Amino acid sequence: ASSPKIDSKAVYLCVRVERQKTMMNDSMVHGLASWFLANPYLCMHNERESDRHYVSCQVRRSTFRLPVIDSTSGHSIIMIAAGTGMAPLRGFIQELPRMSQLETALYFGCFHEKSDFLFRSEIQAAVDSGKLNRLASAFSQDGPELCFVQNMGIEDCEYIFKQLSKNLSVNTNKNSHRAYIYLCGSQA
């Protein structure tokens, strides 16, 4: 959930704790990895060194990145995320101030605005600064009717089509307008 171009010495995670009721006695079972990562006190605050738990990990270079583009061509970047699918897009939003002449949009959906709107202050700062031109959000469990991130895309289809259709010209100039769509999240 971070860009190595912004902070090459840190890796940020965005983890949703998996919880399910068992069929046998209605007790809650938590996902092993997500529960472990969401409860760092299990790792760090044991009195005895032998009781501590450690996570071994490896960071690899990602191929999921923003395009290298000519900043004068007015390209479009459309980002769509559901829940923790926002994690890689947060890194993109962190990089936006380094880019210019972009038309940018974010469509984000989750269950509840108060508890699930991931990276709200950073997203709002990007909107306020003009680096994120468009924000549409859906909170499926907050209103009287279900509303999902795909509903935001349908409501905004004219804008999305306009950005995509700019790319349909026969112009083969590599600096001509291009639209990039990033779709993230298991429910997106």
Side-chain angles (χ1 to χ4, degrees), residues 46-158:
N46 289 323
E47 296 291 324
R48 296 184 326 212
E49 180 74 26
S50 62
D51 290 340
R52 291 186 182 171
H53 303 280
Y54 295 91
V55 176
S56 177
C57 63
Q58 178 181 3
V59 177
R60 293 186 181 164
R61 184 178 206 83
S62 175
T63 58
F64 190 74
R65 60 179 64 122
L66 286 170
V68 176
I69 55 178
D70 174 8
S71 64
T72 62
S73 299
H75 299 293
S76 299
I77 295 176
I78 299 170
M79 300 172 281
I80 305 165
T84 55
M86 186 60 213
L89 300 184
R90 178 192 184 220
F92 288 179
I93 290 170
Q94 290 174 334
E95 291 179 34
L96 289 179
R98 305 172 117 216
M99 307 173 92
S100 60
Q101 300 298 317
L102 286 176
E103 180 70 27
T104 56
L106 172 64
Y107 299 88
F108 174 69
C110 58
F111 294 119
H112 302 284
E113 181 176 11
K114 281 188 173 183
S115 60
D116 301 325
F117 196 162
L118 303 171
F119 315 113
R120 176 201 306 255
S121 60
E122 292 178 41
I123 293 168
Q124 191 57 54
V127 171
D128 294 345
S129 71
K131 291 298 179 181
L132 186 58
N133 306 110
R134 202 174 197 89
L135 171 64
S137 49
F139 307 103
S140 62
Q141 305 301 307
D142 284 351
E145 294 183 25
L146 292 177
C147 184
F148 300 101
V149 68
Q150 57 266 36
N151 299 106
M152 297 294 97
I154 292 168
E155 287 179 18
D156 217 10
C157 66
E158 287 182 33

